[in-house]
């Protein structure tokens, strides 16, 4: 096989993709499989603490791509909004500690806060924590979420909205995360990827299962659904994105698998579909 057919140098897996594994098991498992990149979810750090997690990650030689996740800036009361900002500053500190250059932001939503207000709170929240990110040398990547999550997860649902926030905030520390699961349906995706350009800090892949059986944990393996992943990858690379490509699959089905087998399945899909 030619080299590019077996090139895993830009493959990164989210620890939440192999959720049954502890951080220690994920580090070992990715290492065994020759997966060079890891995006760490906070719940995988928690049992160890950031300091010990940082030591383990450093010793592993894996490249830490991002920390997931900050955000959730939306709340009915000012006290809760301030708590969210404090928590985001803590996430930024954890990212700095484990050597993650990026924190992914799931911006937040609440059925008790109308969407225009929620979007204002998100803008204010990111504005409030940006100086902390800058001081820590950690970038913030706004991830638009599919509109089916506009009730409780994020009032930022298109790349256009995320780009508008980036434009308004006007900081090199604030950019976007393009996740094909959330954005594939958007008729303006290509144009907004072009607009985002160098402010694309992260690129997430999986697939949209047809039919999707569950709104939370039924993401598909690449190639299993209807997303043209390779085309979207081409668009982000056309504007200069050269970072790791992160496999983020929340799936009750795949979490049942023996996780080494799942990692091998991901590698096959990577070669065939990404
Ligand atoms: Zn994502």
């Amino acid at each position: 096989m030619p080299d590019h057919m077996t090139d895993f140098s830009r493959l990164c897996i989210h620890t939440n993709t192999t959720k049954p594994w502890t951080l220690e098991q994920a580090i070992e498992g990715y290492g065994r499989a020759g997966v060079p990149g890891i995006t760490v979810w906070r719940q995988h750090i928690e049992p160890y603490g950031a300091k010990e997690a940082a030591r383990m990650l450093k010793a592993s030689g894996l490249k830490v791509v991002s920390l997931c996740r900050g955000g959730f800036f939306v709340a009915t009361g000012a006290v809760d909004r301030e708590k969210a900002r404090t928590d985001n500053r803590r996430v930024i500190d954890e990212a700095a500690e484990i050597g993650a250059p990026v924190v992914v932001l799931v911006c937040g939503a609440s059925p008790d806060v109308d969407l225009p207000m929620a979007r204002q709170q998100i803008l204010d929240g990111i504005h409030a924590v940006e100086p902390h990110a800058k001081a820590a040398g950690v970038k913030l990547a706004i991830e638009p979420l599919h509109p089916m999550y506009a009730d409780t997860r994020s009032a930022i649902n298109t790349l256009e909205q995320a780009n508008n926030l980036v434009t308004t905030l006007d900081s090199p520390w604030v950019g976007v995360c393009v996740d094909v699961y959330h954005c594939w349906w958007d008729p303006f995706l290509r144009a907004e990827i072009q607009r985002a350009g160098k402010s694309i800090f992260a690129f997430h892949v999986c697939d949209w299962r047809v039919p999707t059986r569950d709104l939370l944990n039924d993401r598909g393996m690449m190639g299993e659904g209807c997303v043209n992943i390779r085309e979207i990858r081409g668009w982000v690379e056309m504007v200069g994105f050269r970072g790791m490509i992160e496999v983020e699959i929340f799936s009750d089905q795949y979490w049942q698998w023996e996780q080494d087998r799942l990692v091998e399945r991901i590698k096959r899909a990577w070669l065939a579909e990404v």
Side-chain angles (χ1 to χ4, degrees):
M1 254 192 266
D3 268 1
H4 70 276
M5 299 293 291
T6 55
D7 184 2
F8 295 108
S9 62
R10 288 175 65 199
L11 172 57
C12 166
I13 299 181
H14 280 228
T15 59
N16 212 32
T17 297
T18 53
K19 189 168 96 167
W21 272 348
T22 64
L23 180 62
E24 190 178 5
Q25 289 171 320
I27 287 171
E28 286 170 9
Y30 300 175
R32 272 195 301 278
V35 174
I38 185 169
T39 279
V40 183
W41 279 62
R42 288 185 86 193
Q43 71 264 27
H44 283 100
I45 294 183
E46 210 180 60
Y48 304 91
K51 201 171 177 180
E52 173 62 9
R55 191 198 60 73
M56 289 159 52
L57 287 160
K58 198 166 181 191
S60 75
L62 291 173
K63 181 182 166 68
V64 182
V65 177
S66 299
L67 177 61
C68 282
R69 57 200 181 174
F72 295 97
F73 293 108
V74 177
T76 47
V79 172
D80 286 338
R81 288 197 294 279
E82 195 48 50
K83 254 190 222 163
R85 293 172 187 190
T86 303
D87 191 51
N88 274 275
R89 293 185 186 101
R90 199 173 301 135
V91 182
I92 290 164
D93 291 341
E94 280 178 19
E97 177 101 51
I98 67 166
V102 172
V103 166
V104 175
L105 299 180
V106 170
C107 291
S110 164
D112 301 322
V113 179
D114 70 39
L115 288 170
M117 178 62 78
R119 288 164 186 151
Q120 184 63 45
Q121 291 180 2
I122 289 164
L123 174 63
D124 294 344
I126 300 173
H127 179 71
V129 302
E130 184 270 348
H132 197 82
K134 182 180 175 182
V138 172
K139 291 178 175 177
L140 304 173
I142 300 166
E143 178 170 22
L145 257 54
H146 191 285
M148 69 179 173
Y149 300 118
D151 54 352
T152 57
R153 297 288 176 96
S154 183
I156 303 302
N157 308 105
T158 63
L159 188 55
E160 181 195 12
Q161 287 178 283
N163 280 337
N164 289 347
L165 284 171
V166 171
T167 302
T168 305
L169 289 159
D170 191 23
S171 161
W173 299 95
V174 180
V176 300
C177 167
V178 177
D179 185 328
V180 301
Y181 184 76
H182 297 298
C183 297
W184 67 276
W185 57 273
D186 182 350
F188 302 107
L189 181 58
R190 183 178 187 173
E192 290 297 329
I193 284 173
Q194 280 169 347
R195 180 180 162 210
K198 296 278 184 266
S199 65
I200 298 173
F201 293 165
F203 181 51
H204 296 175
V205 297
C206 68
D207 213 334
W208 184 275
R209 279 187 53 94
V210 184
T212 287
R213 299 163 296 191
D214 168 40
L215 296 189
L216 293 182
N217 297 318
D218 195 31
R219 298 192 187 190
M221 180 65 59
M222 298 80 77
E224 218 170 41
C226 59
V227 179
N228 196 339
I229 299 167
R230 198 163 271 172
E231 183 176 37
I232 300 172
R233 174 183 176 173
W235 296 342
V236 302
E237 294 189 344
M238 221 180 290
V239 296
F241 181 79
R242 292 290 180 274
M244 289 253 181
I245 297 172
E246 306 174 41
V247 177
E248 183 187 37
I249 304 173
F250 310 157
S251 166
D252 287 327
Q253 179 185 324
Y254 288 118
W255 290 331
Q256 301 293 321
W257 281 28
E258 201 272 306
Q259 297 294 288
D260 279 307
R261 202 178 134 227
L262 173 59
V263 172
E264 289 308 316
R265 179 73 183 82
I266 288 169
K267 285 168 66 183
R268 281 205 307 283
W270 171 265
L271 295 178
E273 306 290 342
V274 178

